[in-house]
Amino acid sequence: MRTPRITDLLASLGVFAARPPVPPPAGRFARPEVPGDLVPALAALAPGVRARVLDALGRRGPQPAPGRPRTLTLPAADGVVAPARQVDERTCGAAVLALLALAGDPRRALELSRRPPGAAETFAGFQRTLHARATRGPGGLQAWPVALGTPPWGAARVARYGPVRYTHRVVGGRSGARVLDAAVEAAAAGVPVPLYSGGDLAGGVSTAVPRHVVLLTTVRGGVATIYEPSAGRLHAVPAARLVAAARERGDDPLVAAALGGWPHVVWALLPRDAQG
């Protein structure tokens, strides 16, 4: 019998545990449309930089092999290799939101590649901006302690992937596998999904709450690719093992590595609709 988790209690009470939204149609949002006015600027870039601008998550290339993660680099017109890492211990969620936005908006990715401070500094500033937005409420008032990172409800409000907007669901109890199945289906259809990872009450209350944020970038051939922002790497994990870790004890080392050292997913941001 597994150790109880706070997310199981929330799910049993029906808190943040409504039925997941219907996943998006396969392929509809997989490749963001490139505005016509960007074509000349993109053509002037080196091929490698152009590829990164148009594919900020590296989804069009080969998947990393399970147990052999690879570094995800930012688009940089100056040729400087800059890993896509979170800027500090509080901004894992903001780094995920930043990569999500870049992946869904070629114009923003192109701007980042050409900013004078460089891609790394621009990416760091983007993280800070998104972190501030996700922790503030109506009127710009602070609604969540900045030191505690990015709450799922704040992240869902700020998250953008092109025209796609997000909602959030707790991963716990009987509905946990259903939420993760929806996340896997959305990623397989072409929409990346932010995931919160954490532990259980065996390590105390501080480990049983959401502790880290990663991004499920794609699912192909039953294998999930996950961006882990503390190291700026892409990990490959069989999707079935990712879902199983939410139901069981969660001692799968391959899953834990992809989730930033935490054993299982505790929350998910799911695509809910597209506007515009």
Side-chain angles (χ1 to χ4, degrees), residues 2-108:
R2 76 180 191 186
T3 304
R5 303 167 184 172
I6 289 178
T7 51
D8 292 333
L9 175 61
L10 292 175
S12 69
L13 295 174
V15 180
F16 306 127
R19 180 177 293 276
V22 176
R28 181 176 176 186
F29 304 107
R31 294 191 177 187
E33 183 176 350
V34 178
D37 64 310
L38 291 190
V39 173
L42 290 170
L45 296 174
V49 178
R50 182 168 61 251
R52 183 60 66 221
V53 167
L54 294 175
D55 183 22
L57 293 175
R59 294 183 293 175
R60 299 180 192 176
Q63 287 180 297
R68 299 181 62 184
R70 62 180 175 86
T71 299
L72 179 66
T73 57
L74 298 166
D78 58 10
V80 176
V81 177
R85 293 195 186 111
Q86 65 189 76
V87 67
D88 58 43
E89 69 279 1
R90 302 173 300 180
T91 56
C92 54
V96 162
L97 294 175
L99 255 296
L100 185 67
L102 292 175
D105 187 351
R107 187 182 303 279
R108 187 182 290 274

Side-chain angles (χ1 to χ4, degrees), residues 91 94 97 125-137 140-144 146 149-150 154 157-158:
T91 56
L97 294 175
F126 192 19
Q127 290 180 51
R128 295 186 182 99
T129 297
L130 290 173
H131 187 217
R133 287 175 56 194
T135 55
R136 290 175 184 162
L141 299 176
Q142 199 67 44
W144 181 259
V146 173
T150 309
R157 175 170 47 82
V158 172

Side-chain angles (χ1 to χ4, degrees), residues 201-232:
L201 291 170
V205 174
S206 65
T207 68
V209 296
R211 295 303 305 265
H212 193 51
V213 190
V214 300
L215 183 64
L216 177 58
T217 68
T218 188
V219 176
R220 290 185 293 188
V223 177
T225 300
I226 296 173
Y227 161 66
E228 195 286 296
S230 68

Side-chain angles (χ1 to χ4, degrees), residues 19-21 156 164-169 178-184 186 191-195 268-273:
R19 180 177 293 276
V164 178
R165 304 297 184 260
Y166 289 78
T167 186
H168 64 97
R169 294 291 186 271
R178 186 171 60 193
V179 173
L180 275 183
D181 284 341
V184 167
V191 179
V193 176
L195 302 174
L269 269 57
L270 300 173
R272 61 177 174 84
D273 59 16

